[in-house]
C-alpha cells in the first residue's frame, strides 16, 4: 500500500514537468489549391503555315506565290516535367478543316478577283474555265494541278512568367488523340529556359468520386501579360463516372449553373486547362466541352496519353524549392519565406507566384503578422526574465525523490531493529521460576 501511494505521488510531480517541456505541434503543410499548379499553366497557340504557288495558265503563264497562316486552335496547357512537356487537348493543336483548301480559295480569289468564301470548303465558279482551274488547285496534287501547296504546323507555347514572353517557344506534337477532346502531348524544340527547367504541376493518382467535390479550374484567355494573368474559378464535380464525354460539374447548392459557366470559360480559352482538386492541389483532369456544357476528362486518361508518348511526369528542383517557400509563407513565417522565395527566383527568374509572395513576405517580415518574429520576441522576453523554470523543477523533483528514498530506507531499517528487540531469539531457554519452600 505504501508503494502505491509513493507511485501516485511521483506521477503527480512528473506529469506537470513533462507538460512544460513538450514542444508545440508542428504546422501541417498547406494544401495550396492552385499555388502548386498555376506556375505551370501555359497558353498554347497552333497555326498552319501554308505556302502555295498558283500556276496561272489562263493567259500568259504566271506563277503566283503566297504564304498564309491559318489558325488551328488555341487554348491552355499544363507543364508536367522540367523538360517542358505540355499536356493539352487534341483540338488545340489539330483541326479537321483542310487548310490547303482554305489557301486555295484565298489565292484564287485574290489573283483572279472572284468571290470565293474565305473558308475550308470546296466551291465552284460559274465561269467554266476558271472553275476548272480552281478545282485543279484543290488537293490532292495531280499531274494537271494548278497549285503547289506545302503545309507545316507551328505550335507556340507562352509560359506564365512575370515578364511576358511575347515570342514563347516552339513545340512539336508527340502524341494526339483520336477525338478532339482527347489529350495531346507536346515537347518544346530549340529552347531550354534554364538548367533547372520549367515549373511543373503535380498530377493526382485518381479523380475524387464523391458528389460535389470542390475543385478549381485555371487557364489563359489570351497570351499571358501584365494585364492578363491566369483565370481561376471554382467548381464542383458531379458524382459518378465520366459519362458522356467527361465528368460533369454541379453546384451542390444549385446557385450557379456550373456547366454553363465552365463551358463559357472553355470558349474563352480555358479548353484543356487543369482541373485542380481542393485538398492536395493536384491536377485531376483537363477542362473540355464548351458552349453550355463544360466537362472534365480524368487524370487517368492524361497519364495514359503521357505513357503512350513516352513522357514521364515528374517534379523538378524549382517545384521543391517553391513548396518549401510556400510552407513558410502559408504558416506566416514571413522572415523565413523571404530567402526561400529568393531561392526560387534564382532558379527561375520569371516565377510569377514566387515574385508576388516574395513582395508580400518582405512587407510583413518583422511585423505582428510574422509568426517567426513573434516567437523570437517571446523567446527574448523569457531570456530577459531570467533562466527557464523547468531545470529548477526537475532538480527539485530529483532532490525530493532522493529524500523520500532515504527516508523510506531509514524507516525500513528502524522497523527491522525494533522487531528484532521485541522477539526473543529462538532456542534460548527460559530461566527457572523459584519454588516456594
Amino acid at each position: 500500500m505504501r508503494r502505491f501511494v509513493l507511485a501516485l505521488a511521483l506521477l503527480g510531480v512528473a506529469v506537470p514537468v513533462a507538460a512544460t517541456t513538450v514542444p508545440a505541434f508542428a504546422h501541417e503543410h498547406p494544401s495550396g489549391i492552385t499555388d502548386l499548379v498555376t506556375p505551370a499553366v501555359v497558353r498554347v497557340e497552333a497555326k498552319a503555315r501554308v505556302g502555295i504557288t498558283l500556276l496561272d495558265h489562263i493567259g500568259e503563264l504566271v506563277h503566283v506565290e503566297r504564304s498564309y497562316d491559318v489558325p488551328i486552335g488555341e487554348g491552355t496547357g499544363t507543364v508536367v516535367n522540367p523538360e517542358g512537356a505540355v499536356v493539352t487537348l487534341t483540338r488545340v493543336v489539330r483541326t479537321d478543316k483542310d487548310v490547303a483548301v482554305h489557301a486555295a480559295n484565298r489565292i484564287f480569289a485574290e489573283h483572279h478577283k472572284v468571290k470565293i468564301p474565305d473558308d475550308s470548303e470546296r466551291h465552284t465558279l460559274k465561269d467554266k474555265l476558271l472553275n476548272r482551274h480552281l478545282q485543279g488547285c484543290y488537293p490532292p496534287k495531280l499531274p494537271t494541278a494548278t497549285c503547289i501547296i506545302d503545309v507545316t504546323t507551328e505550335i507556340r507555347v507562352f509560359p506564365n512568367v512575370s515578364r511576358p514572353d511575347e515570342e514563347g517557344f516552339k513545340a512539336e506534337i508527340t502524341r494526339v488523340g483520336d477525338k478532339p477532346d482527347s489529350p495531346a502531348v507536346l515537347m518544346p524544340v530549340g529552347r531550354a529556359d534554364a538548367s533547372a527547367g520549367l515549373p511543373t504541376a503535380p498530377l493526382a493518382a485518381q479523380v475524387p468520386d464523391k458528389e460535389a467535390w470542390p475543385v478549381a479550374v485555371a487557364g489563359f484567355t489570351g497570351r499571358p501579360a501584365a494585364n492578363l494573368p491566369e483565370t481561376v474559378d471554382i467548381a464542383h464535380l458531379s458524382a459518378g463516372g465520366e459519362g458522356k464525354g467527361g465528368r460533369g460539374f454541379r453546384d451542390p447548392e444549385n446557385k450557379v449553373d456550373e456547366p454553363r459557366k465552365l463551358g463559357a470559360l472553355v470558349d474563352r480559352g480555358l479548353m484543356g486547362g487543369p482541373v485542380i482538386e481542393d485538398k492536395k492541389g493536384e491536377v485531376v483532369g483537363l477542362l473540355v466541352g464548351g458552349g453550355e456544357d463544360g466537362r472534365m476528362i480524368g487524370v487517368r486518361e492524361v497519364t495514359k496519353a503521357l505513357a503512350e508518348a513516352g513522357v514521364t511526369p515528374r517534379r523538378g528542383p524549382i517545384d521543391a524549392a517553391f513548396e518549401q517557400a510556400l510552407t513558410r509563407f502559408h504558416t506566416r513565417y514571413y522572415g523565413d519565406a523571404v530567402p526561400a522565395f529568393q531561392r526560387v527566383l534564382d532558379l527561375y527568374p520569371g516565377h510569377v507566384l514566387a515574385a508576388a509572395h516574395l513582395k508580400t513576405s518582405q512587407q510583413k517580415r518583422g511585423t505582428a503578422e510574422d509568426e517567426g518574429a513573434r516567437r523570437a520576441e517571446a523567446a527574448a522576453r523569457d531570456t530577459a526574465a531570467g533562466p527557464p523554470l523547468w531545470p529548477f523543477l526537475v532538480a527539485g523533483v530529483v532532490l525530493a525523490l532522493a529524500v523520500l528514498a532515504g527516508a523510506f530506507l531509514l524507516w525500513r531499517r528502524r522497523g527491522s531493529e525494533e522487531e528484532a528487540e521485541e522477539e526473543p531469539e529462538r532456542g534460548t531457554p527460559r530461566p527457572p521460576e523459584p519454588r516456594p519452600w
Side-chain angles (χ1 to χ4, degrees), residues 313-371:
R314 64 182 180 86
R315 307 281 275 158
I318 298 173
D319 310 306
F322 186 54
E323 286 194 35
Q324 292 177 2
L326 281 180
T327 300
R328 291 163 172 79
F329 182 79
H330 287 299
T331 52
R332 298 183 298 173
Y333 281 78
Y334 298 113
D336 295 336
V338 169
F341 284 125
Q342 287 174 337
R343 168 61 178 162
V344 177
L345 292 172
D346 289 341
L347 293 171
Y348 191 72
H351 203 292
V352 173
L353 278 181
H357 290 337
L358 173 60
K359 183 177 180 180
T360 302
S361 299
Q362 290 172 330
Q363 293 172 344
K364 295 185 177 183
R365 177 175 51 182
T367 67
E369 297 182 69
D370 189 343
E371 185 67 21

Side-chain angles (χ1 to χ4, degrees), residues 110-363:
E110 291 171 3
H111 178 66
H112 290 289
K113 309 301 180 184
V114 292
K115 292 184 178 181
I116 301 177
D118 186 12
D119 57 20
S120 298
E121 302 294 328
R122 296 172 183 258
H123 301 281
T124 58
L125 298 173
K126 293 181 179 180
D127 187 304
K128 292 183 178 181
L129 181 59
L130 286 177
N131 185 63
R132 181 165 60 86
H133 280 256
L134 174 62
Q135 303 308 316
C137 188
Y138 290 143
K141 183 180 178 181
L142 300 173
T144 58
T146 57
C147 289
I148 301 173
I149 304 174
D150 178 60
V151 180
T152 58
T153 300
E154 181 178 297
I155 301 172
R156 287 201 169 268
V157 177
F158 298 88
N160 186 10
V161 289
S162 55
R163 180 175 295 179
D165 186 346
E166 297 179 358
E167 296 296 327
F169 58 87
K170 290 184 178 180
E172 62 182 9
I173 298 174
T174 304
R175 188 263 188 196
V176 290
D178 54 357
K179 298 178 181 179
D181 282 340
S182 299
V185 181
L186 314 175
M187 284 297 296
V189 292
R191 169 175 168 172
D193 274 42
S195 59
L198 295 173
T200 72
L203 301 182
Q206 60 185 12
V207 179
D209 57 0
K210 293 184 179 180
E211 172 78 13
W213 190 273
V215 293
V217 296
F220 285 98
T221 59
R223 293 183 183 180
N227 59 349
L228 187 61
E230 72 275 3
T231 296
V232 178
D233 209 333
I234 61 172
H236 303 82
L237 293 176
S238 62
E242 292 190 352
K244 297 180 180 180
R247 182 87 169 262
F249 296 93
R250 188 181 75 82
D251 179 9
E253 298 180 357
N254 294 321
K255 294 181 179 180
V256 179
D257 187 347
E258 289 193 353
R260 182 190 293 271
K261 179 184 75 171
L262 296 177
L265 290 176
V266 169
D267 295 340
R268 290 175 54 198
L270 268 67
M271 69 174 71
V275 180
I276 310 160
E277 66 92 28
D278 184 62
K279 301 301 180 183
K280 297 181 179 180
E282 298 175 332
V283 177
V284 295
L286 303 181
L287 192 60
V288 302
E292 298 182 357
D293 188 18
R295 287 166 279 115
M296 181 194 79
I297 57 171
V299 68
R300 290 182 178 176
E301 191 170 348
V302 174
T303 53
K304 179 182 177 183
L306 291 170
E308 292 175 354
V311 173
T312 302
R314 64 182 180 86
R315 307 281 275 158
I318 298 173
D319 310 306
F322 186 54
E323 286 194 35
Q324 292 177 2
L326 281 180
T327 300
R328 291 163 172 79
F329 182 79
H330 287 299
T331 52
R332 298 183 298 173
Y333 281 78
Y334 298 113
D336 295 336
V338 169
F341 284 125
Q342 287 174 337
R343 168 61 178 162
V344 177
L345 292 172
D346 289 341
L347 293 171
Y348 191 72
H351 203 292
V352 173
L353 278 181
H357 290 337
L358 173 60
K359 183 177 180 180
T360 302
S361 299
Q362 290 172 330
Q363 293 172 344

Side-chain angles (χ1 to χ4, degrees), residues 404-425:
L404 290 175
F408 178 73
L409 292 175
L410 180 61
W411 173 77
R412 289 292 303 270
R413 183 177 178 179
R414 289 181 176 178
S416 299
E417 292 177 352
E418 292 175 357
E419 291 177 358
E421 293 176 357
E422 292 177 357
E423 296 180 2
E425 295 182 4

Side-chain angles (χ1 to χ4, degrees), residues 49-66:
R49 178 152 290 175
V50 186
I52 182 170
T53 300
L54 172 63
L55 308 176
D56 183 4
H57 294 246
I58 295 178
E60 295 183 4
L61 180 59
V62 178
H63 290 183
V64 182
E65 296 182 358
R66 294 283 192 278

